[in-house]
Amino acid sequence: IMLLNCAVDLLNKGYSVLYIDSELSSRLFTARLISHLTGIEYRNLTSGHYGDEEKNKIKEALKWIKSKPMNHIYMPFFSADNIYMAVKQTMHKYPLDVLIVDYFKSTGEEKDAFQTYAAMGKCVDVIKNEISGNLNIASIGAAQATANNKLADSAKIARNASTIIMIEDKSPGEIEADGQECGNKKMIVTVNRNGMQHASGEYIDLVFDGNKISYEQAQQQHIPQTPY
Protein backbone atom coordinates (compact mmCIF):
# COMPACT_ATOMS: atom_id res chain seq x y z
CA ILE A 1 0.00 0.00 0.00
CA MET A 2 2.91 2.38 0.72
CA LEU A 3 4.37 1.68 -2.72
CA LEU A 4 1.00 2.37 -4.36
CA ASN A 5 0.87 5.69 -2.50
CA CYS A 6 4.40 6.45 -3.71
CA ALA A 7 3.41 5.66 -7.30
CA VAL A 8 0.48 8.10 -7.15
CA ASP A 9 2.68 10.81 -5.66
CA LEU A 10 5.29 10.32 -8.40
CA LEU A 11 2.66 10.40 -11.16
CA ASN A 12 1.17 13.61 -9.72
CA LYS A 13 4.65 15.15 -9.90
CA GLY A 14 4.96 14.30 -13.58
CA TYR A 15 7.16 11.19 -13.39
CA SER A 16 6.55 7.99 -15.35
CA VAL A 17 6.40 4.69 -13.44
CA LEU A 18 6.84 0.98 -14.08
CA TYR A 19 5.25 -1.01 -11.26
CA ILE A 20 6.25 -4.69 -11.06
CA ASP A 21 3.89 -6.50 -8.72
CA SER A 22 4.41 -10.02 -7.39
CA GLU A 23 1.20 -9.99 -5.33
CA LEU A 24 -1.71 -8.38 -7.19
CA SER A 25 -3.12 -8.76 -10.68
CA SER A 26 -3.62 -5.53 -12.57
CA ARG A 27 -7.37 -5.75 -11.88
CA LEU A 28 -6.91 -5.96 -8.11
CA PHE A 29 -4.20 -3.31 -8.16
CA THR A 30 -6.49 -0.96 -10.09
CA ALA A 31 -9.27 -1.51 -7.54
CA ARG A 32 -6.88 -0.52 -4.74
CA LEU A 33 -5.72 2.46 -6.78
CA ILE A 34 -9.30 3.66 -7.30
CA SER A 35 -10.02 3.31 -3.57
CA HIS A 36 -6.95 5.40 -2.80
CA LEU A 37 -7.82 8.09 -5.34
CA THR A 38 -11.50 8.39 -4.45
CA GLY A 39 -11.53 7.72 -0.70
CA ILE A 40 -14.18 5.03 -1.22
CA GLU A 41 -13.59 2.13 1.15
CA TYR A 42 -12.11 -0.83 -0.69
CA ARG A 43 -14.76 -3.29 0.50
CA ASN A 44 -17.57 -0.99 -0.70
CA LEU A 45 -15.82 -0.43 -4.02
CA THR A 46 -15.32 -4.13 -4.74
CA SER A 47 -18.80 -5.14 -3.52
CA GLY A 48 -20.56 -2.40 -5.50
CA HIS A 49 -22.01 -0.72 -2.40
CA TYR A 50 -21.78 2.89 -3.54
CA GLY A 51 -24.08 5.58 -4.89
CA ASP A 52 -24.13 7.94 -7.87
CA GLU A 53 -21.68 10.40 -6.30
CA GLU A 54 -19.15 7.66 -5.71
CA LYS A 55 -19.77 6.33 -9.23
CA ASN A 56 -18.74 9.70 -10.66
CA LYS A 57 -15.61 9.67 -8.48
CA ILE A 58 -14.74 6.25 -9.89
CA LYS A 59 -15.15 7.51 -13.46
CA GLU A 60 -12.83 10.44 -12.71
CA ALA A 61 -10.29 8.12 -11.10
CA LEU A 62 -10.29 5.82 -14.15
CA LYS A 63 -9.84 8.86 -16.40
CA TRP A 64 -6.88 9.96 -14.26
CA ILE A 65 -5.31 6.48 -14.38
CA LYS A 66 -5.59 6.27 -18.17
CA SER A 67 -3.98 9.68 -18.56
CA LYS A 68 -0.86 8.80 -16.57
CA PRO A 69 2.34 7.12 -17.83
CA MET A 70 2.25 4.05 -15.57
CA ASN A 71 2.69 0.44 -16.58
CA HIS A 72 1.60 -2.17 -14.00
CA ILE A 73 2.91 -5.69 -14.62
CA TYR A 74 1.78 -8.66 -12.55
CA MET A 75 4.83 -10.90 -12.19
CA PRO A 76 4.33 -13.53 -9.42
CA PHE A 77 7.91 -14.77 -9.76
CA PHE A 78 10.61 -12.52 -11.10
CA SER A 79 14.36 -12.51 -11.62
CA ALA A 80 16.92 -9.86 -12.42
CA ASP A 81 16.67 -10.73 -16.12
CA ASN A 82 12.90 -10.40 -16.52
CA ILE A 83 12.81 -7.18 -14.50
CA TYR A 84 15.47 -5.74 -16.82
CA MET A 85 13.49 -6.93 -19.86
CA ALA A 86 10.30 -5.30 -18.53
CA VAL A 87 12.17 -2.03 -18.03
CA LYS A 88 13.54 -2.06 -21.59
CA GLN A 89 10.11 -2.88 -23.05
CA THR A 90 8.49 -0.04 -21.09
CA MET A 91 11.19 2.36 -22.30
CA HIS A 92 10.03 1.68 -25.86
CA LYS A 93 6.58 3.00 -24.88
CA TYR A 94 7.66 6.14 -23.00
CA PRO A 95 10.71 7.61 -21.22
CA LEU A 96 10.81 5.82 -17.86
CA ASP A 97 11.68 7.69 -14.66
CA VAL A 98 10.96 5.28 -11.79
CA LEU A 99 10.88 1.51 -11.30
CA ILE A 100 8.86 0.14 -8.36
CA VAL A 101 9.31 -3.50 -7.30
CA ASP A 102 6.64 -4.97 -5.01
CA TYR A 103 8.33 -6.94 -3.48
CA PHE A 104 11.69 -8.75 -3.17
CA LYS A 105 11.21 -12.35 -2.01
CA SER A 106 12.22 -15.93 -2.67
CA THR A 107 10.84 -17.53 -5.81
CA GLY A 108 10.53 -20.86 -4.01
CA GLU A 109 12.82 -22.53 -6.53
CA GLU A 110 16.02 -22.11 -4.54
CA LYS A 111 17.28 -25.18 -2.71
CA ASP A 112 18.52 -23.45 0.41
CA ALA A 113 18.97 -20.09 2.13
CA PHE A 114 22.32 -19.50 0.44
CA GLN A 115 20.78 -19.76 -3.03
CA THR A 116 17.91 -17.50 -1.95
CA TYR A 117 20.32 -14.83 -0.71
CA ALA A 118 22.39 -15.10 -3.90
CA ALA A 119 19.35 -14.78 -6.19
CA MET A 120 17.91 -11.81 -4.32
CA GLY A 121 21.29 -10.17 -4.05
CA LYS A 122 21.78 -10.48 -7.82
CA CYS A 123 18.31 -9.01 -8.43
CA VAL A 124 18.95 -5.93 -6.29
CA ASP A 125 22.47 -5.58 -7.68
CA VAL A 126 21.19 -5.52 -11.29
CA ILE A 127 18.52 -2.97 -10.38
CA LYS A 128 21.08 -0.74 -8.67
CA ASN A 129 23.83 -0.94 -11.28
CA GLU A 130 22.16 -1.79 -14.61
CA ILE A 131 18.82 0.00 -14.19
CA SER A 132 19.42 2.86 -11.76
CA GLY A 133 23.08 3.26 -12.70
CA ASN A 134 23.36 2.69 -16.43
CA LEU A 135 19.79 3.61 -17.43
CA ASN A 136 19.41 6.47 -14.91
CA ILE A 137 16.08 5.19 -13.59
CA ALA A 138 15.27 5.68 -9.91
CA SER A 139 14.24 2.46 -8.15
CA ILE A 140 12.04 1.78 -5.14
CA GLY A 141 11.39 -1.67 -3.72
CA ALA A 142 9.93 -3.41 -0.71
CA ALA A 143 10.88 -6.47 1.31
CA GLN A 144 9.35 -8.16 4.30
CA ALA A 145 10.74 -7.76 7.79
CA THR A 146 11.52 -10.52 10.27
CA ALA A 147 9.86 -10.87 13.65
CA ASN A 148 12.81 -8.87 15.04
CA ASN A 149 12.16 -5.99 12.61
CA LYS A 150 15.20 -6.75 10.48
CA LEU A 151 15.28 -6.84 6.69
CA ALA A 152 14.21 -10.34 5.69
CA ASP A 153 15.59 -12.82 3.15
CA SER A 154 18.84 -11.20 2.08
CA ALA A 155 21.46 -9.02 3.75
CA LYS A 156 22.61 -8.13 0.22
CA ILE A 157 19.55 -5.91 -0.14
CA ALA A 158 20.96 -3.73 2.64
CA ARG A 159 24.37 -3.80 0.99
CA ASN A 160 23.00 -2.44 -2.31
CA ALA A 161 20.27 -0.06 -1.14
CA SER A 162 20.92 3.68 -0.85
CA THR A 163 18.19 4.12 1.76
CA ILE A 164 16.24 1.63 3.85
CA ILE A 165 13.05 2.65 5.65
CA MET A 166 11.17 0.39 8.06
CA ILE A 167 7.45 0.83 8.70
CA GLU A 168 6.13 -0.50 12.00
CA ASP A 169 2.87 -0.50 13.93
CA LYS A 170 2.83 1.78 16.92
CA SER A 171 2.09 0.03 20.19
CA PRO A 172 -1.00 1.18 22.15
CA GLY A 173 1.39 2.81 24.61
CA GLU A 174 3.15 4.76 21.84
CA ILE A 175 -0.18 5.93 20.39
CA GLU A 176 -1.26 7.12 23.82
CA ALA A 177 2.07 8.83 24.55
CA ASP A 178 2.34 10.50 21.13
CA GLY A 179 -1.34 11.46 20.82
CA GLN A 180 -4.03 10.29 18.37
CA GLU A 181 -3.14 13.09 15.93
CA CYS A 182 0.34 11.57 15.58
CA GLY A 183 -1.04 8.50 13.82
CA ASN A 184 -0.86 4.74 14.17
CA LYS A 185 2.35 3.87 12.30
CA LYS A 186 5.99 4.90 12.52
CA MET A 187 8.56 5.21 9.74
CA ILE A 188 12.21 4.70 10.64
CA VAL A 189 15.18 5.46 8.36
CA THR A 190 17.62 2.69 9.32
CA VAL A 191 20.15 3.05 6.50
CA ASN A 192 20.83 6.19 4.48
CA ARG A 193 23.84 6.67 2.24
CA ASN A 194 22.40 9.99 0.97
CA GLY A 195 21.90 11.74 4.29
CA MET A 196 21.02 11.31 7.95
CA GLN A 197 19.31 8.30 9.51
CA HIS A 198 17.28 8.00 12.67
CA ALA A 199 18.83 7.41 16.05
CA SER A 200 17.31 4.90 18.45
CA GLY A 201 13.76 5.95 19.38
CA GLU A 202 13.38 8.47 16.53
CA TYR A 203 10.71 8.05 13.86
CA ILE A 204 8.28 9.83 11.52
CA ASP A 205 4.59 9.63 12.42
CA LEU A 206 2.22 8.17 9.82
CA VAL A 207 -1.52 7.62 9.55
CA PHE A 208 -2.47 4.33 7.91
CA ASP A 209 -6.02 3.64 6.71
CA GLY A 210 -6.20 0.19 5.15
CA ASN A 211 -9.87 0.62 4.26
CA LYS A 212 -8.97 3.48 1.91
CA ILE A 213 -5.53 2.19 0.85
CA SER A 214 -3.91 5.26 2.34
CA TYR A 215 -0.65 6.23 4.03
CA GLU A 216 -0.24 9.88 5.02
CA GLN A 217 2.17 11.84 7.13
CA ALA A 218 0.44 12.54 10.45
CA GLN A 219 -0.95 16.05 10.95
CA GLN A 220 1.30 16.37 13.98
CA GLN A 221 4.71 14.85 14.71
CA HIS A 222 5.35 13.55 18.20
CA ILE A 223 7.71 15.27 20.62
CA PRO A 224 10.55 12.85 21.40
CA GLN A 225 10.65 11.76 25.02
CA THR A 226 13.99 12.26 26.77
CA PRO A 227 15.12 11.27 30.27
CA TYR A 228 16.25 14.84 31.00
Side-chain angles (χ1 to χ4, degrees):
I1 290 177
M2 172 58 80
L3 292 180
L4 182 149
N5 280 243
C6 288
V8 170
D9 182 63
L10 289 162
L11 291 167
N12 278 329
K13 291 177 178 176
Y15 296 106
S16 58
V17 175
L18 167 61
Y19 197 114
I20 294 180
D21 198 330
S22 67
E23 293 290 295
L24 297 177
S25 67
S26 292
R27 181 179 178 84
L28 290 175
F29 178 84
T30 301
R32 282 191 175 191
L33 185 54
I34 292 170
S35 176
H36 172 77
L37 292 170
T38 62
I40 301 171
E41 289 194 3
Y42 183 76
R43 59 187 174 184
N44 292 336
L45 179 73
T46 54
S47 64
H49 292 160
Y50 52 80
D52 291 338
E53 183 179 349
E54 287 81 7
K55 189 179 294 185
N56 289 331
K57 288 182 178 180
I58 293 169
K59 288 181 180 179
E60 288 300 312
L62 286 169
K63 183 178 178 181
W64 182 92
I65 293 168
K66 291 177 181 179
S67 71
K68 298 299 179 182
M70 181 173 73
N71 186 19
H72 177 273
I73 300 177
Y74 175 49
M75 200 180 291
F77 303 105
F78 55 73
S79 65
D81 292 338
N82 52 28
I83 287 178
Y84 186 82
M85 187 179 301
V87 167
K88 295 294 286 185
Q89 289 174 344
T90 301
M91 291 175 67
H92 284 297
K93 299 178 181 178
Y94 53 78
L96 181 59
D97 297 311
V98 184
L99 166 68
I100 296 178
V101 180
D102 183 5
Y103 61 96
F104 296 111
K105 62 183 179 181
S106 168
T107 65
E109 297 179 356
E110 296 85 6
K111 295 180 180 179
D112 52 35
F114 179 80
Q115 287 189 358
T116 298
Y117 298 158
M120 294 183 67
K122 178 185 177 183
C123 190
V124 177
D125 189 62
V126 166
I127 289 172
K128 176 185 178 181
N129 293 302
E130 299 298 326
I131 296 175
S132 290
N134 292 342
L135 300 179
N136 196 32
I137 296 170
S139 301
I140 306 171
Q144 291 182 321
T146 65
N148 297 322
N149 290 326
K150 301 295 183 182
L151 189 62
D153 290 327
S154 178
K156 292 183 179 179
I157 294 177
R159 183 194 70 185
N160 285 306
S162 297
T163 303
I164 295 177
I165 298 171
M166 307 294 288
I167 298 176
E168 301 176 11
D169 293 325
K170 285 189 179 183
S171 67
E174 286 174 323
I175 292 175
E176 183 178 359
D178 294 346
Q180 291 288 336
E181 54 282 333
C182 291
N184 56 354
K185 295 271 189 175
K186 54 184 180 180
M187 174 186 283
I188 307 165
V189 180
T190 59
V191 173
N192 194 359
R193 295 183 172 90
N194 294 322
M196 296 181 65
Q197 61 191 50
H198 285 129
S200 177
E202 293 181 335
Y203 51 85
I204 298 168
D205 298 281
L206 299 177
V207 176
F208 171 64
D209 186 343
N211 292 324
K212 297 180 180 178
I213 319 297
S214 173
Y215 267 106
E216 293 182 354
Q217 184 171 316
Q219 292 182 355
Q220 179 177 320
Q221 294 294 303
H222 72 287
I223 300 173
Q225 301 295 316
T226 68
Y228 304 107

